[in-house]
Amino acid sequence: MKKIFLSMLLFGMALPVFSQEIALLSNVYAREHVLLNGKWNYIVDPLENGYYDYRMQPQTDGFFINKKADPTELVEYNFDTSPIMNVPGDWNTQVESLFFYEGTVWFKKDFTVEKKSATRYILYFGAANYDTKVYVNGQKMGEHIGGYTPFNFDITDAIKSGNNFVIVKVDNKRHRDNVPTVNMDWWNYGGITRDVLLCEVPETYIEDYFFQWNKEKQGSVYGWIKLNQPVANQDITIEIPELKLKQNLKTDASGQAAFELKAKPQLWCPENPKLYDVILASNKEKLNDQIGFRTIQTDGKKLLLNGKQIFLRGICIHEEAPFRSGRAWSDEDAAVLLGWAKEMGCNYVRLAHYPHNEHTIRMAEKMGILVWSEIPVYWTISWSNPDTYANAEHQLHDMIYRDKNRCAVVIWSIANETPHSAERDLFLSKLAKYARSQDDTRLISMAMEITRNDNDKTISMKDNMNEYVDIISFNQYMAWYWGGNMQDWTRATWNIPYNKPVIVSEFGGGCLYGFHGDKTTRFTEENQEALFQCNLEMMERIDGLSGLSPWVLVDFRSPRRQLFGIQDFFNRKGLISDSGNKKKAFFVMQQYYQQKTEQYK
Ligand code: GCU
């Protein structure tokens, strides 16, 4: 029981003090809601003229009041006569003139409500990149920093029955102290990039909950439920019909209730992604979820899923929409991307380099695909800035908060390819401890870097973060960024002095689909194919190799890839082209994973 109460305390969240921002609604799609997706009017505002006056002071009557001008008045904006854009969606791939745009775009959507008594109205955004301010009927609801995590506001007191409008200011400018910082190898897609929901909940509602399976104690399902109000003696029922489990609970003075029920569920695994209908009910609402039960642990250099050694047959995936490019956000996008991973023979995906949308996580769960989920603490972060740390920790919190009941997620990653320094070690060790404090049921990792000796072909891992992670993961680019002959590297000597499982979180090289030639010629499919064959031979020599996630499933847009005629602002390391064509190296991985599947049966 102690463990349960501890975990109940762990998911509390320190919210920045904004007028209406509230704790995230868990399992938002199961709530009574309408989607505000669709056509939104937009106004491009590169100098933030709709927010600041000409002395750079915030205006009280900015674009957010949506002023209606009579013919005698000077009003230099009008949403209703402005162009429209699809939400969810990035502006870069919807409006040609905004392809490279980094700045502010304002969005407006009208919506109607028939207000009910004793009901709260929560406006929920799956994500918006990067700095977002939200106004309803001209009143500021709050703001959010970060491009890949959800946020929501209680807008009840700002709306009326009948017509209302929401206006959103989204600014995707990069800043040195942001998370990520100014330099990254992916497109800085701006906009309201995920679903927008208007949810209805009772005054006192089930805000959050956690279900976990505990293999000790002969197997029990344990967890907790939290109301949005600190009210005691509220009746809550939890039920898992298929396990014939039902229990009536009473909340304590903090509005929370813990439970532990003896159970023998079928354990979720890639071969049998079993999910159970879970029903949570108070006297005012009923909430359904589909939850899987499993354990993930390490034993020395072994990775254990449900106590059985597993090899993670993975691939890295950016949240880039298949075929159309731009930010992916839908069930359909997730089905295509994860379908390609499955076709390769994957049982695991590394969702790089930021939390992906909830549809992808839930789709992975249904398809039996394990997930590495990561926050964008990427490359040269401002390690000494306390605001940068707070931002990273908030994004980490929200990633864990949203997906803590998603059994497919087995690894929380806190960083990617970060340069060694005392400040970086302090920042990341604090972040790793925080992640474990929020969720001690999953594994912690990060994509480290290795050092190599080009003369004696020794590859060494030395990272002070080794003691804070459960899995030693690193990116390596043999014979792509490294010099030397790829054949020579196949005989590499590995020196990884940590008794933990090893995942190679990135490897590979680029090629343009359909460009053929000698295997030593860069950007040919033959070069990428040979690169993969040699990489696999080299990595098979790693003691404790427990997983691979080649870089990357599909070619993706990047402002760092300017080679005209080959890259054209695409990173071409995909095993599939941006048009959906499988390159030769795709089949190298497919064959290797067939062998791995046999080996770990
Ligand atoms: C790095 C980085 C990726 C990047 C890749 C590349 O390892 O983690 O984000 O896209 O290398 O250079 O293609």
Side-chain angles (χ1 to χ4, degrees):
M1 224 35 157
K2 179 177 69 64
K3 182 184 178 96
I4 295 168
F5 281 106
L6 182 65
S7 74
M8 281 165 55
L9 297 175
L10 299 181
F11 287 102
M13 60 188 291
L15 266 181
V17 180
F18 290 122
S19 52
Q20 307 297 339
E21 184 163 15
I22 59 170
L24 283 173
L25 264 184
S26 271
N27 191 11
V28 70
Y29 293 98
R31 310 283 180 163
E32 190 70 36
H33 71 270
V34 291
L35 277 174
L36 296 187
N37 293 358
K39 303 289 183 203
W40 290 48
N41 293 92
Y42 73 90
I43 296 174
V44 184
D45 186 8
L47 276 70
E48 297 182 273
N49 178 47
Y51 186 75
Y52 296 106
D53 64 20
Y54 77 125
R55 294 292 188 244
M56 282 305 281
Q57 294 304 309
Q59 299 177 63
T60 54
D61 57 351
F63 285 6
F64 45 84
I65 67 164
N66 187 38
K67 182 144 183 64
K68 288 294 157 226
D70 71 33
T72 65
E73 284 182 297
L74 174 63
V75 177
E76 297 180 84
Y77 71 95
N78 182 339
F79 280 103
D80 299 338
T81 58
S82 296
I84 54 178
M85 187 186 306
N86 290 321
V87 168
D90 58 276
W91 60 63
N92 314 75
T93 57
Q94 290 195 71
V95 181
E96 193 173 347
S97 60
L98 300 180
F99 184 61
F100 285 102
Y101 180 69
E102 293 185 309
T104 285
V105 174
W106 295 86
F107 296 87
K108 172 180 173 280
K109 182 77 176 178
D110 293 323
F111 63 96
T112 57
V113 173
E114 287 316 311
K115 279 185 92 172
K116 301 168 195 154
S117 61
T119 301
R120 305 304 294 177
Y121 293 84
I122 313 294
L123 184 60
Y124 178 98
F125 292 81
N129 185 42
Y130 177 87
D131 178 338
T132 305
K133 294 175 172 57
V134 176
Y135 306 82
V136 171
N137 295 335
Q139 289 176 59
K140 182 165 184 186
M141 297 293 102
E143 50 192 83
H144 181 265
I145 297 291
Y148 307 95
T149 45
F151 51 101
N152 53 210
F153 306 99
D154 183 335
I155 65 169
T156 310
D157 300 334
I159 58 173
K160 62 187 187 310
S161 284
N163 295 331
N164 300 272
F165 64 89
V166 52
I167 287 179
V168 182
K169 178 185 184 290
V170 183
D171 178 357
N172 75 332
K173 280 194 299 294
R174 290 163 295 113
H175 296 284
R176 181 75 190 80
D177 296 336
N178 282 4
V179 178
T181 181
V182 291
N183 189 23
M184 70 276 229
D185 192 19
W186 69 85
W187 208 265
N188 180 29
Y189 290 120
I192 304 173
T193 47
R194 293 182 190 159
D195 291 334
V196 182
L197 292 79
L198 179 58
C199 302
E200 293 182 19
V201 291
E203 294 277 2
T204 301
Y205 58 88
I206 297 170
E207 178 183 89
D208 192 17
Y209 53 88
F210 183 49
F211 279 71
Q212 190 56 248
W213 185 67
N214 178 343
K215 72 173 181 45
E216 281 101 44
K217 307 182 198 173
Q218 294 78 44
S220 64
V221 168
Y222 73 90
W224 48 266
I225 292 170
K226 181 179 182 299
L227 299 179
N228 67 312
Q229 308 278 2
V231 283
N233 296 319
Q234 298 295 299
D235 291 317
I236 295 181
T237 306
I238 55 171
E239 191 176 359
I240 310 180
E242 200 178 337
L243 293 176
K244 297 182 176 43
L245 293 179
K246 186 168 184 174
Q247 183 164 359
N248 299 323
L249 307 170
K250 287 275 191 194
T251 56
D252 62 18
S254 67
Q256 306 196 29
F259 61 86
E260 180 160 6
L261 310 168
K262 289 258 173 289
K264 287 271 186 232
Q266 278 184 54
L267 299 185
W268 183 96
C269 65
E271 297 71 26
N272 177 28
K274 174 68 182 168
L275 299 175
Y276 287 90
D277 284 332
V278 173
I279 304 161
L280 303 94
S282 70
N283 55 12
K284 299 203 177 61
E285 68 178 325
K286 193 171 178 182
L287 213 44
N288 291 301
D289 204 343
Q290 292 71 42
I291 293 183
F293 300 100
R294 54 106 189 94
T295 59
I296 187 76
Q297 299 152 294
T298 64
D299 176 9
K301 289 179 179 285
K302 290 180 184 162
L303 195 53
L304 307 178
L305 178 70
N306 302 325
K308 183 172 177 285
Q309 190 176 6
I310 187 170
F311 186 89
L312 299 179
R313 309 187 304 270
I315 188 73
C316 291
I317 300 181
H318 255 304
E319 196 177 48
E320 182 98 15
F323 309 112
R324 72 174 189 277
S325 77
R327 199 46 82 219
W329 58 269
S330 66
D331 263 332
E332 292 73 22
D333 293 336
V336 172
L337 295 172
L338 296 174
W340 280 335
K342 273 285 213 192
E343 207 180 324
M344 189 186 293
C346 297
N347 62 359
Y348 160 71
V349 290
R350 176 184 177 214
L351 299 183
H353 284 290
Y354 37 76
H356 287 212
N357 66 77
E358 187 172 345
H359 300 297
T360 299
I361 305 293
R362 286 183 177 269
M363 180 82 63
E365 210 171 40
K366 291 188 180 78
M367 293 173 71
I369 298 176
L370 294 150
V371 170
W372 159 309
S373 193
E374 181 168 297
I375 52 169
V377 173
Y378 182 94
W379 290 355
T380 53
I381 292 286
S382 299
W383 306 112
S384 306
N385 183 326
D387 294 340
T388 304
Y389 177 80
N391 181 346
E393 187 176 278
H394 195 152
Q395 293 189 43
L396 178 60
H397 172 279
D398 291 354
M399 172 173 76
I400 294 173
Y401 187 102
R402 188 193 74 182
D403 295 338
K404 59 186 173 290
N405 290 311
R406 309 277 65 86
C407 61
V409 180
V410 288
I411 298 168
W412 301 123
S413 168
I414 58 171
N416 180 74
E417 291 192 352
T418 50
H420 296 269
S421 73
E423 296 78 8
R424 168 264 202 184
D425 289 355
L426 179 61
F427 187 108
L428 291 184
S429 55
K430 203 173 160 197
L431 216 44
K433 282 182 242 173
Y434 179 79
R436 210 173 296 284
S437 76
Q438 294 298 300
D439 179 3
D440 63 358
T441 70
R442 290 175 171 86
L443 304 177
I444 310 290
S445 192
M446 57 183 271
M448 300 171 173
E449 292 186 308
I450 47 167
T451 50
R452 67 181 193 274
N453 181 317
D454 289 348
N455 301 319
D456 66 8
K457 299 292 183 279
T458 303
I459 305 172
S460 305
M461 163 55 70
K462 183 176 180 346
D463 193 314
N464 297 335
M465 287 301 294
N466 74 84
E467 61 181 289
Y468 297 98
V469 298
D470 300 300
I471 299 174
I472 300 295
S473 305
F474 57 84
N475 302 343
Q476 62 83 10
Y477 282 92
M478 176 270 274
W480 181 261
Y481 292 124
W482 306 355
N485 175 303
M486 61 176 86
Q487 286 298 345
D488 297 345
W489 282 106
T490 57
R491 294 184 297 281
T493 305
W494 292 93
N495 175 21
I496 303 173
Y498 309 120
N499 185 32
K500 294 183 176 177
V502 174
I503 292 178
V504 181
S505 36
E506 283 182 37
F507 67 92
C511 84
L512 179 67
Y513 173 75
F515 177 36
H516 296 287
D518 177 82
K519 68 181 181 181
T520 61
T521 304
R522 292 288 186 136
F523 291 110
T524 61
E525 285 201 52
E526 287 70 22
N527 178 259
Q528 189 190 47
E529 181 186 39
L531 206 52
F532 270 75
Q533 288 160 342
C534 290
N535 264 292
L536 294 172
E537 191 178 338
M538 178 182 79
M539 293 181 294
E540 273 291 311
R541 303 163 64 87
I542 295 173
D543 177 23
L545 181 67
S546 298
L548 298 174
S549 48
W551 191 257
V552 64
L553 182 67
V554 190
D555 292 352
F556 61 93
R557 286 196 190 283
S558 168
R560 303 180 79 245
R561 307 297 169 176
Q562 286 95 338
L563 181 56
F564 185 75
I566 295 280
Q567 295 176 320
D568 301 323
F569 287 117
F570 275 93
N571 182 310
R572 293 290 183 198
K573 295 187 183 70
L575 294 177
I576 298 175
S577 75
D578 55 293
S579 311
N581 301 301
K582 295 180 182 70
K583 304 174 186 177
K584 288 184 160 196
F586 176 94
F587 303 101
V588 172
M589 286 313 304
Q590 190 180 54
Q591 186 186 14
Y592 176 77
Y593 283 161
Q594 280 164 1
Q595 294 159 3
K596 276 298 172 194
T597 305
E598 290 308 311
Q599 184 184 342
Y600 280 82
K601 258 206 164 93

